Amino acid sequence: MEILMAIVIGILFTTATYLMLSKSILRIIVGTGLLSHGAHLLILTMGGLKRGAVPLLGEHAEAYVDPLPQALILTAIVISFGVTSLFLVLAYRTYQELGTDNMDHLRGNEANE
Amino acid sequence: MSLLHLAILSPFLLAIAVPILYKHIRSVHTGWFVLGLPVILFTYFFRFLSATQNGETVAESFAWIPSLNVSFDVYVDGLGLLFALLITGIGSLVVLYSIFYLQKEKERLGSFYTFLLLFMGAMLGVVLSDNLIVLYTFWEFTSLSSFLLIGYWHHRERSRYGAQKSMLITVLGGLAMLGGFVLLYIMGGTFSIRELIGQADSLFEHPLFTPALLLVLLGAFTKSAQFPFHIWLPDAMEAPTPVSAYLHSATMVKAGIYLVARMSPIFAESGVWLWLIASFGIATLFWGSFSAVKQTDLKGILAFSTVSQLGLIMSLLGVGAAALHYESIGENVYMVATVAAVFHLINHATFKGTLFMVVGIIDHETGTRDIRKLGGLMAFMPITFTIAVIGAFSMAGLPPFNGFLSKEMFFTGMVNVLNMDIFNLDAWGILFPVLAWIGSIFTFVYSMIVVFKVFGGKHQPDKLERTPHEAPLGMLISPVILASLVIIFGIFPNLLSGTLIEPAVASIIPSLLDGEFHVHIGFWHGFTPELFMTIGVIAIGILLYLTVPRWKKVYYALPEAWSLNRLYDKTIELAERASIWVTRLFMTGFIRSYLVYIFLFFIISLGFTLYWQDAFKLDTDNTAPIRMYELILAIIIAIGSVAILFVKSRLTSIILLGAVGYTVSLFYVLFRAPDLALTQLIIETISVALFLLCFYHLPKINLKEERMTFKLNNALISLGVGVIIALIALSAHSNKLFDSIASFYLENSYKEAGGKNVVNVILVDFRGLDTMFEITVLGIAAIGIYSLIKLRMTRGREADENK
């Protein structure tokens, strides 16, 4: 299962990188979204995908899955959400102020050259 | 801290007071307050003479940075004292001269004397330091204060250019020298020059010996304006004339000479040292005197003349180093070269100081320094003329002035090169006396130009700004004193031999001297080859001087484009353009380019490490089985994310991103992570809503939606990133070294924290700090979003928005 997950994560990273190299801001942000999905799945996979019960002690199971990666991912999800929403609003304001979503048009002015 | 330390630091202390004096006492010329110090210092150093004459030395120590072996150790021996006397003596005369040269009302005297005192203190520090790092510190101080003095009239473009040029060249050499000093420290384990001299034999064996030698020499050559680094000196003539007289003839340019003389006991063991110094010196001598004849500006002539005379002294020091290779003193003919070097050092300081002051007077009284405009000044300025004759004839090497004696000794030294049987030389040795002789002829020619083109010939009143007349008395005092020294040293040279020259030579060649060595400079030494050489110089020199206009074409044979100045200018320009070009090459301003660099670095460094460390490993023992549900979800994620690349509309790509996110939350369900699934579901929903908000506000012009164009480079880079990540994930999983600490949380979650949801207990209890700052992140993001939307700093823009 881990090998399959590694391939899926690899695909997520590939598409994310490709999107981040594109011209449109929106596509870049979509790329960062895919990248964080890839990273979260990577943490989960690296923690081991062994069978076990949900880490709720009420279950009284023989073995539980590792709770620590889950806590880490939960933190990461919230942080990446905060950053993504800030980026989105930034992109929205950029559209409003500058009237473009093309990264090629968003080079700094070259007045000091 | 001893009195000697205080003497070195006193110019720095006075430099602090100068601006205050300048500001508050405007009625008195600030120079008068400064004048006292060099005079006091001169008398103070004069008292050391009796000690050094008997072969004694004075050493004082003051801890500065003991942990790094850097201490402010000062050391007075013959060589150091000779320089200290030159610095303070000519310093006093220059200050006196500058009082009459610079006008109280027009010039910024506070800055002038501050810079000059900084220089004087730095120079004293250079020649009296025993510690290499302290020496280097003072050395850079001389570069810095020289830079300030050359650029004194900073409103002139030529001054700024000259200051920058001298700064770049001397600091280049200074840094090289620091490198050489560090190498010496690595070899000898000490920064003390005396201790290094003590272990000179073992240093010679060390592999770092030659690099250290070359670096130290680079420092000495740049500072002392040796070919091809001499180009800064003529441009430094933009400085006020007292500065040129002091720094660029008598003292600073001799710092390189001092360094070579001081380091000789360490390095002279090597033939490289001997030949490099001798040949660069002789080349500089020839080139400097040859170029001086071409100049039309009096200070230009004197600048090239200084270059040439420094080359003379340098070549003598080089040849003198041969003395170390012979045991006995009796037959040691190479000693005479060292003696000549020290003697000419003193002579040059006297007559070049005189000549610069004369030029300053001419400039001051006529308003020009151009020899094409000057002429016939003899009748107007008899005293200045007399002084100029003394200075220039001494420079040309005519009897009875001191230049004659040192030039004879110079010829002796150079002729002796022919007899040198150490280091294979063959036919090249003949070049030394020949170049020395030709150089002396040109020296004679330009010395005559200085005197007769300016004072002889016809007076041209229409070309001059002012009617020339004799200079004020105050301005004449210093050159008169120097000119009398020229005559006194010329007629009674043995006044110097016992007092100054012998102790100085003893410092340069310590191993050979134990009291039995005595210098006697005879005025007449029979019909020797040197005498005939001098007669030849005078005869051919007169002939060449009379025919200058006929052969001056020689100077235009070499096109201007080939000059060293052009090379320097082009190098600076090229360096600027190349750095702009390189920076523009990769700083494109497109964020995509920078991302490409980052990703490429990621791929290359990690890929290389994986390969090089043989880190890739695939181990299937520890894997969980693949189930149908997970396989289907994996396929959905793969298809969903790849499909985003191919869809045309942005709306579809957002929906696909949402689909991937929901599938990920299903993964969390399958992998037994209910809290994650819950959070992921909610957050994905909000994110998609935000994306749609952005989508809705797209500018109307760009609404024409198009598919992403395929770019092979981007595809390869992203594929590389994906593959590297997958490989690292696989090998990380296959290399699990120890078990998880999860058992601790599972066992203690209820016992210690009283909660059964282990994930939540970790978040708020075991690792609560993470959660606190994650909340902070959300808070900051919220404030950021709020201010992004609400704050409008550019009020002027609002009108545009309403259009």
Side-chain angles (χ1 to χ4, degrees):
Chain A
M1 188 64 227
E2 279 84 353
I3 297 165
L4 179 69
M5 287 306 288
I7 294 165
V8 170
I9 291 160
I11 291 170
L12 278 174
F13 270 84
T14 308
T15 48
T17 311
Y18 193 82
L19 282 168
M20 286 164 79
L21 290 172
S22 74
K23 278 182 201 166
S24 140
I25 294 190
L26 199 67
R27 286 211 171 98
I28 292 176
I29 301 177
V30 170
T32 57
L34 284 181
L35 197 71
S36 35
H37 286 321
H40 299 157
L41 286 179
L42 185 61
I43 300 175
L44 194 72
T45 312
M46 290 299 100
L49 298 173
K50 285 287 180 51
R51 296 291 148 208
V54 174
L56 296 172
L57 296 181
E59 297 278 299
H60 299 296
E62 284 290 311
Y64 297 96
V65 295
D66 195 335
L68 194 57
Q70 296 192 12
L72 295 180
I73 295 168
L74 198 60
T75 312
I77 289 175
V78 175
I79 289 175
S80 70
F81 166 69
V83 175
T84 308
S85 46
L86 186 74
F87 272 170
L88 278 168
V89 175
L90 193 66
Y92 159 76
R93 288 287 299 136
T94 314
Y95 294 151
Q96 262 192 349
E97 291 283 324
L98 304 172
T100 179
D101 76 326
N102 189 335
M103 284 312 291
D104 289 359
H105 298 164
L106 290 173
R107 291 170 76 188
N109 59 10
E110 315 223 323
N112 50 359
E113 279 186 18
Chain B
M1 178 148 308
S2 64
L3 194 61
L4 195 56
H5 284 102
L6 205 66
I8 294 174
L9 294 178
S10 59
F12 291 101
L13 299 176
L14 185 60
I16 300 173
V18 161
I20 304 166
L21 291 168
Y22 174 64
K23 209 169 174 191
H24 293 287
I25 312 178
R26 296 305 290 259
S27 53
V28 185
H29 194 288
T30 316
W32 291 113
F33 301 116
V34 178
L35 184 60
L37 183 72
V39 174
I40 294 168
L41 287 177
F42 183 78
T43 39
Y44 171 73
F45 283 117
F46 202 79
R47 283 174 38 238
F48 283 95
L49 263 184
S50 53
T52 55
Q53 224 173 321
N54 300 329
E56 293 163 23
T57 55
V58 182
E60 299 283 353
S61 189
F62 179 72
W64 183 20
I65 317 171
S67 56
L68 297 178
N69 276 341
V70 176
S71 57
F72 186 10
D73 290 341
V74 289
Y75 177 61
V76 185
D77 63 351
L79 187 66
L81 186 64
L82 166 66
F83 273 91
L85 286 174
L86 276 182
I87 293 160
T88 49
I90 297 188
S92 321
L93 296 175
V94 162
V95 170
L96 180 66
Y97 177 78
S98 70
I99 292 173
F100 296 93
Y101 185 86
L102 295 172
Q103 279 164 321
K104 189 168 62 176
E105 296 78 17
K106 286 187 187 163
E107 305 286 357
R108 297 169 297 121
L109 293 176
S111 324
F112 181 82
Y113 287 108
T114 308
F115 301 159
L116 200 71
L117 281 169
L118 275 183
F119 171 78
M120 192 182 291
M123 204 60 211
L124 280 176
V126 166
V127 299
L128 296 176
S129 293
D130 181 53
N131 192 287
L132 288 175
I133 294 300
V134 177
L135 192 154
Y136 172 73
T137 311
F138 284 119
W139 184 279
E140 291 295 20
F141 252 115
T142 64
S143 296
L144 199 67
S145 49
S146 162
F147 167 79
L148 292 168
L149 283 166
I150 297 169
Y152 175 65
W153 286 311
H154 51 68
H155 48 88
R156 295 186 191 167
E157 209 223 321
R158 295 294 307 169
S159 297
R160 297 197 301 269
Y161 172 79
Q164 190 203 35
K165 193 176 189 178
S166 74
M167 183 77 162
L168 285 176
I169 294 178
T170 52
V171 167
L172 170 87
L175 285 176
M177 192 184 82
L178 178 65
F181 287 173
V182 171
L183 290 185
L184 277 175
Y185 181 73
I186 294 170
M187 287 188 277
T190 172
F191 279 124
S192 162
I193 297 173
R194 276 171 298 160
E195 286 172 31
L196 284 170
I197 290 173
Q199 14 174 320
D201 289 336
S202 61
L203 293 183
F204 183 54
E205 308 289 321
H206 203 280
L208 289 175
F209 179 81
T210 312
L213 183 158
L214 294 175
L215 287 172
V216 169
L217 265 192
L218 188 63
F221 282 175
T222 50
K223 197 76 163 182
S224 280
Q226 297 294 298
F227 187 87
F229 307 109
H230 66 276
I231 49 172
W232 67 266
L233 190 65
D235 283 304
M237 290 301 131
E238 295 299 324
T241 304
V243 172
S244 311
Y246 189 37
L247 273 70
H248 306 129
S249 71
T251 51
M252 186 180 92
V253 286
K254 295 209 170 103
I257 305 270
Y258 168 80
L259 190 73
V260 168
R262 181 56 90 202
M263 293 292 177
S264 271
I266 302 178
F267 288 118
E269 195 78 22
S270 142
V272 181
W273 175 262
L274 195 160
W275 290 124
L276 267 183
I277 296 175
S279 36
F280 270 85
I282 206 82
T284 311
L285 163 72
F286 169 73
W287 187 250
S289 60
F290 177 69
S291 308
V293 179
K294 182 188 175 187
Q295 306 300 316
T296 52
D297 177 32
L298 276 174
K299 274 176 104 176
I301 298 178
L302 292 185
F304 277 105
S305 146
T306 305
V307 169
S308 149
Q309 305 275 325
L310 291 170
L312 188 156
I313 302 174
M314 203 61 107
S315 65
L316 282 171
L317 282 176
V319 173
L324 276 179
H325 295 270
Y326 295 93
E327 285 301 317
S328 75
I329 293 174
E331 302 153 38
N332 203 332
V333 286
Y334 304 105
M335 286 293 280
V336 80
T338 309
V339 174
V342 175
F343 188 37
H344 195 73
L345 180 86
I346 305 169
N347 294 344
H348 177 250
T350 54
F351 67 68
K352 195 50 68 64
T354 315
L355 286 173
F356 266 109
M357 289 179 187
V358 164
V359 169
I361 290 173
I362 294 169
D363 190 13
H364 203 260
E365 302 308 327
T366 65
T368 182
R369 298 193 311 246
D370 193 328
I371 54 169
R372 288 166 302 189
K373 294 182 184 169
L374 293 164
L377 293 181
M378 202 191 300
F380 301 95
M381 311 164 94
I383 305 174
T384 317
F385 168 67
T386 316
I387 301 167
V389 165
I390 296 169
F393 281 20
S394 174
M395 180 159 77
L398 296 178
F401 307 110
N402 57 6
F404 169 70
L405 300 171
S406 46
K407 182 142 298 181
E408 292 281 279
M409 292 165 77
F410 167 59
F411 283 150
T412 314
M414 287 300 132
V415 170
N416 282 339
V417 174
L418 294 177
N419 309 325
M420 207 176 275
D421 52 4
I422 44 167
F423 312 124
N424 260 336
L425 188 64
D426 303 327
W428 290 102
I430 191 74
L431 271 178
F432 281 84
V434 168
L435 276 178
W437 190 67
I438 300 175
S440 300
I441 295 173
F442 281 109
T443 307
F444 183 86
V445 174
Y446 70 69
S447 302
M448 293 308 114
I449 290 177
V450 168
V451 176
F452 293 108
K453 286 269 190 258
V454 175
F455 294 98
K458 253 197 350 239
H459 178 46
Q460 300 161 298
D462 48 318
K463 287 190 182 170
L464 299 180
E465 291 170 27
R466 286 163 239 168
T467 341
H469 52 80
E470 191 56 87
L473 183 66
M475 227 164 162
L476 287 169
I477 300 172
S478 304
V480 164
I481 294 175
L482 283 173
S484 0
L485 285 178
V486 168
I487 298 176
I488 294 170
F489 293 158
I491 298 174
F492 309 107
N494 290 315
L495 278 180
L496 292 174
S497 56
T499 47
L500 278 173
I501 298 178
E502 273 175 30
V505 172
S507 328
I508 300 174
I509 313 180
S511 58
L512 285 175
L513 297 172
D514 29 27
E516 39 180 315
F517 168 75
H518 287 293
V519 176
H520 184 79
I521 301 167
F523 198 79
W524 174 254
H525 35 72
F527 291 100
T528 51
E530 296 86 337
L531 187 69
F532 294 117
M533 282 170 89
T534 306
I535 293 170
V537 165
I538 297 171
I540 300 180
I542 292 174
L543 196 71
L544 278 180
Y545 171 69
L546 294 175
T547 55
V548 163
R550 292 206 196 144
W551 55 271
K552 219 172 177 181
K553 283 199 282 293
V554 178
Y555 289 105
Y556 306 104
L558 200 67
E560 186 66 17
W562 286 66
S563 73
L564 283 166
N565 275 320
R566 185 61 73 87
L567 181 71
Y568 165 84
D569 290 338
K570 286 279 167 203
T571 311
I572 298 280
E573 200 187 314
L574 200 72
E576 274 176 19
R577 272 203 303 205
S579 56
I580 290 174
W581 180 77
V582 168
T583 314
R584 286 231 176 111
L585 196 67
F586 67 92
M587 299 301 286
T588 56
F590 293 112
I591 192 166
R592 197 168 56 247
S593 316
Y594 308 142
L595 284 174
V596 167
Y597 308 148
I598 295 170
F599 286 135
L600 275 180
F601 178 76
F602 177 86
I603 295 169
I604 292 167
S605 61
L606 290 183
F608 180 72
T609 314
L610 269 182
Y611 171 77
W612 181 50
Q613 296 282 344
D614 202 14
F616 181 69
K617 198 168 134 192
L618 186 56
D619 180 9
T620 48
D621 293 350
N622 204 22
T623 50
I626 302 176
R627 288 187 308 175
M628 188 50 89
Y629 294 125
E630 291 146 357
L631 187 65
I632 293 169
L633 288 183
I635 292 169
I636 291 174
I637 286 189
I639 292 173
S641 65
V642 172
I644 293 178
L645 304 180
F646 293 100
V647 295
K648 194 175 171 187
S649 124
R650 292 185 179 86
L651 186 61
T652 323
S653 65
I654 292 167
I655 290 168
L656 280 171
L657 178 67
V660 171
Y662 288 131
T663 320
V664 169
S665 69
L666 283 180
F667 253 124
Y668 294 146
V669 172
L670 286 181
F671 290 132
R672 312 280 202 274
D675 300 292
L676 285 186
L678 200 63
T679 320
Q680 180 68 36
L681 214 58
I682 295 165
I683 277 178
E684 203 55 41
T685 313
I686 302 172
S687 299
V688 169
L690 273 169
F691 270 109
L692 290 174
L693 182 75
C694 280
F695 173 78
Y696 181 74
H697 282 279
L698 269 185
K700 298 283 179 285
I701 0 154
N702 279 350
L703 264 185
K704 195 182 70 158
E705 289 186 319
E706 51 192 31
R707 194 163 282 139
M708 275 169 76
T709 44
F710 177 75
K711 289 202 182 82
L712 186 65
N713 288 343
N714 291 357
L716 286 177
I717 289 168
S718 30
L719 204 62
V721 171
V723 169
I724 290 283
I725 286 283
L727 289 182
I728 289 175
L730 286 176
S731 28
H733 178 259
S734 308
N735 279 319
K736 197 152 269 176
L737 298 177
F738 38 76
D739 272 340
S740 163
I741 54 166
S743 52
F744 168 84
Y745 292 119
L746 293 168
E747 277 163 25
N748 292 301
S749 178
Y750 189 71
K751 243 194 305 188
E752 301 281 340
K756 290 187 174 171
N757 183 337
V758 185
V759 174
N760 286 4
V761 168
I762 291 175
L763 280 173
V764 297
D765 193 311
F766 289 122
R767 300 179 57 88
L769 216 57
D770 290 357
T771 313
M772 187 173 89
F773 287 108
E774 150 199 347
I775 293 166
T776 318
V777 167
L778 272 190
I780 291 171
I783 295 169
I785 290 167
Y786 180 79
S787 33
L788 263 177
I789 292 173
K790 283 289 173 189
L791 277 184
R792 294 287 185 276
M793 298 300 273
T794 49
R795 295 209 170 271
R797 282 276 189 81
E798 279 181 4
D800 286 339
E801 280 180 358
N802 294 336
K803 265 183 196 169

